[in-house]
Amino acid sequence: MTSQSASTLRSRYVAQAASDLEENRQKQRELAERITVLKQEEALLSDILNLAERYEGLADASRLPGQLQDEPVAAKAKQAPAGVAARRSTSAKTTPAGQTAKAGAKGKSRRPLLGDLLADLLGQYDEPRLAKELRDELLEKHPDRNPTPQVVRNTIESLVAKGRIRRHKQQRSVMYTLVKRGEADSSD
């Protein structure tokens, strides 16, 4: 093999290795982004399961205590130390089913749940809507309510999990429509 052909072969290998290395790094970046999204989804699903366990004994969803206006449920759970959270979940399980909800609702006037308000707003449209659009409309029609964008998204996602709202992904946007009564029955 001549030195010129060895040099040409070496430069091809170097160019191929550089190209493969860049492709590998790009795939790593994409996977890291995907892992971040999956971890966020895991946290949301974990919070939903924790809430479901907390209110497991309540048969009527309308008896659940109302969520504070500006504070997401997930943030409350994360702020409490681990021992406090464990005591809360234990006491919630040992408390008779209706007591916790009744105690929280005694001093408050009944305000509609955020999920019900969002479902009503969404029901006014036939085409899918963004969570941001729903929040903006909620702030406009209910100035006494001021949930954060994350609270609105979490509430909508909980309604998706319950089958009351349908999620649509269009490119990088997530949009929502209300499930009509007949549609929910036929999908079961």
Side-chain angles (χ1 to χ4, degrees), residues 66 109-117 120 142 144-145:
S109 62
R110 296 287 295 174
R111 290 187 349 170
L113 296 174
L114 180 60
D116 293 337
L117 291 175
D120 290 344
H142 300 276
D144 59 317
R145 306 291 290 253

Side-chain angles (χ1 to χ4, degrees), residues 160-178:
V160 168
K162 292 175 185 176
R164 291 182 56 194
I165 289 179
R166 186 168 289 124
R167 180 188 311 114
H168 307 275
K169 292 187 180 180
Q170 296 178 356
Q171 296 168 346
R172 296 187 71 186
S173 298
V174 179
M175 303 181 89
Y176 303 93
T177 56
L178 188 67

